[in-house]
């Protein structure tokens, strides 16, 4: 699959509420996930680390809705915009999150995901 | 200015309809602009080339409205989402364009812009 095809298939799964399955299907073994923060939480590497990161996130938030928009493609990369309505379980605060995820594709797999917010 | 400050100032100018002025204020001398296409038009380099690219685009399109959303930040990069309502002058076709622009910042200036659509 080329980048456009990976982008479309991945985003279609996210739009269908299958973001977790999309990751498991398309992440490369050594995938890197990069947040906008300093310190040891900035980069997670490898599928087990990304699964753990996802579990942490779902444990910390009650998810009311997620919408995916895109994909937006350039070369070996594509972006997806996520609009999320979540409640932070610890603070009880309900938040409308809007973020851009940028994915880099190599050999039909996602080698990097980077989140902008 | 750090990346967050450049991102906010640049995006505020875009939201105020001053995208051209924002480029002239924040582009580095050797800024690179990268489209999603093959061939010699993929990369433009240097402020004069980016000005020429902008003039080509405005000559080819009648712009009815532009909305900028963001910024979305990660490390030394930020993204802006543009929603545009334009008519292609040659074909007469009116198009709703939705694209993500990703900017890389170095030394308070934009060293690269990359467009996803």
């Amino acid at each position: 699959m080329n980048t456009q095809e990976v982008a479309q298939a991945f985003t279609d799964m996210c739009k269908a509420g299958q973001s977790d399955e999309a990751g498991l299907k398309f992440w490369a073994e050594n995938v890197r996930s990069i947040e906008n923060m300093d310190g040891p939480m900035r980069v997670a590497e490898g599928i087990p680390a990304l699964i753990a990161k996802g579990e942490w996130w779902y444990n910390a938030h009650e998810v009311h809705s997620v919408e995916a928009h895109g994909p937006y493609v350039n070369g070996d990369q594509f972006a997806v915009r996520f609009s999320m309505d979540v409640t932070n379980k610890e603070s009880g605060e309900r938040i409308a999150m809007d973020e851009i995820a940028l994915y880099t594709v190599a050999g039909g797999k996602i080698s990097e995901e980077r989140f902008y917010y």
Side-chain angles (χ1 to χ4, degrees), chain A residues 10 13 18-28 47 110 113:
Chain A
F10 182 90
M13 290 181 75
Q18 300 178 318
S19 298
D20 298 340
E21 294 85 348
L24 292 176
K25 181 169 182 179
F26 287 107
W27 283 333
I47 292 174
I110 292 171
E113 58 179 31

Side-chain angles (χ1 to χ4, degrees), chain A residues 27 32-34 50 102-103 110-115:
Chain A
W27 283 333
R32 286 159 52 91
S33 179
I34 304 172
L50 270 63
L102 179 66
Y103 301 92
I110 292 171
S111 60
E112 186 183 285
E113 58 179 31
R114 192 177 287 250
F115 298 98

Side-chain angles (χ1 to χ4, degrees), chain A residues 23-68:
Chain A
L24 292 176
K25 181 169 182 179
F26 287 107
W27 283 333
E29 286 290 333
N30 60 347
V31 59
R32 286 159 52 91
S33 179
I34 304 172
E35 296 289 337
N36 182 36
M37 57 180 70
D38 293 326
M41 292 292 286
R42 175 166 169 77
V43 180
E45 187 160 354
I47 292 174
L50 270 63
I51 291 173
K53 183 179 164 181
E55 286 175 351
W56 171 84
W57 196 86
Y58 283 111
N59 282 331
H61 298 87
E62 181 185 353
V63 181
H64 307 294
S65 69
V66 178
E67 283 181 22

Side-chain angles (χ1 to χ4, degrees), chain A residues 76-114:
Chain A
D76 65 351
Q77 294 183 314
F78 69 95
V80 180
R81 179 168 66 91
F82 291 101
S83 305
M84 290 174 282
D85 174 13
V86 303
T87 295
N88 183 309
K89 288 182 185 173
E90 190 176 340
S91 69
E93 187 185 8
R94 188 158 178 166
I95 316 164
M97 300 178 73
D98 187 28
E99 67 178 46
I100 304 285
L102 179 66
Y103 301 92
T104 302
V105 177
K109 293 284 189 175
I110 292 171
S111 60
E112 186 183 285
E113 58 179 31
R114 192 177 287 250

